[in-house]
Amino acid sequence: MASCHSSKRSVDPYADYTPEATTAQGTISGAQQAAIVKEARRWLGTKYRYGGHSRKDGTDCSGMVMEIYDQVCNVKLPRSSREQQAFCKGINRKDLKVGDLVFFCTSKDAKKVSHVGIYIGNGKIIHSSASKGVVESSIDEPYYIRTYHSSGRVPTK
């Protein structure tokens, strides 16, 4: 499994955060966006575990995303990053809002989604790296530019 080339670092959970509320029906609210960022930052430093989905025992990228959306928004996402990508409403990268998902092709098949992160604003995502666990990374790093596949907005009730 390919790893995400990111660095662990200590992060203030509220630094530089401004909700970018979406108002269209069926999208998450500004309050939910803030809660997603807060919860995602609680996962920082969680160890990587393929197939995992807990802060205590470890998580992979899609497991973390699945758990955060279930806890914060009561939305049941599919388990794999590929299925999560199909579940979301596709959006242009320039239209990313806090809470949107960003998908990457990090495996040998350059067209097959294999990684997901939660967009937290200011060009940053929180995701679970196979080599470093849950970290915050810039989507403008060369690795993420090269492996970027698509972005999606999670539909809500």
Side-chain angles (χ1 to χ4, degrees), residues 87-101:
F87 181 84
C88 287
K89 176 184 183 242
I91 58 169
N92 192 299
R93 183 177 173 193
K94 69 178 176 55
D95 296 325
L96 280 167
K97 302 281 186 196
V98 170
D100 288 338
L101 302 184

Side-chain angles (χ1 to χ4, degrees), residues 2-151:
S3 70
C4 298
H5 305 282
S6 306
S7 58
K8 270 189 195 177
R9 62 186 178 106
S10 177
V11 177
D12 175 351
Y14 303 104
D16 302 322
Y17 177 68
T18 305
E20 297 167 292
T22 55
T23 56
Q25 184 178 9
T27 59
I28 61 175
S29 69
Q32 287 173 315
Q33 289 174 318
I36 287 169
V37 171
K38 183 177 180 180
E39 181 60 24
R41 286 195 166 141
R42 289 182 66 224
W43 287 69
L44 289 170
T46 300
K47 71 179 179 179
Y48 180 85
R49 191 183 86 173
Y50 181 76
H53 57 96
S54 85
R55 287 177 50 216
K56 179 183 174 197
D57 299 325
T59 188
D60 61 19
C61 60
S62 59
M64 179 194 73
V65 169
M66 179 184 73
E67 289 297 327
I68 290 171
Y69 261 89
D70 187 26
Q71 283 183 323
V72 175
C73 301
N74 197 30
V75 172
K76 307 283 187 212
L77 289 175
R79 180 60 179 93
S80 76
S81 56
R82 194 168 321 119
E83 293 168 326
Q84 290 174 358
Q85 191 264 340
F87 181 84
C88 287
K89 176 184 183 242
I91 58 169
N92 192 299
R93 183 177 173 193
K94 69 178 176 55
D95 296 325
L96 280 167
K97 302 281 186 196
V98 170
D100 288 338
L101 302 184
V102 184
F103 300 96
F104 303 90
C105 299
T106 58
S107 64
K108 289 182 181 180
D109 185 343
K111 295 184 182 190
K112 190 174 179 183
V113 169
S114 56
H115 188 64
V116 60
I118 299 174
Y119 186 71
I120 61 167
N122 300 318
K124 305 277 187 184
I125 59 169
I126 291 180
H127 60 109
S128 184
S129 159
S131 63
K132 298 180 180 173
V134 178
V135 293
E136 183 177 315
S137 301
S138 169
I139 60 173
D140 294 321
E141 291 176 23
Y143 177 77
Y144 296 110
I145 291 170
R146 185 175 69 252
T147 60
Y148 175 81
H149 179 273
S150 59
S151 301

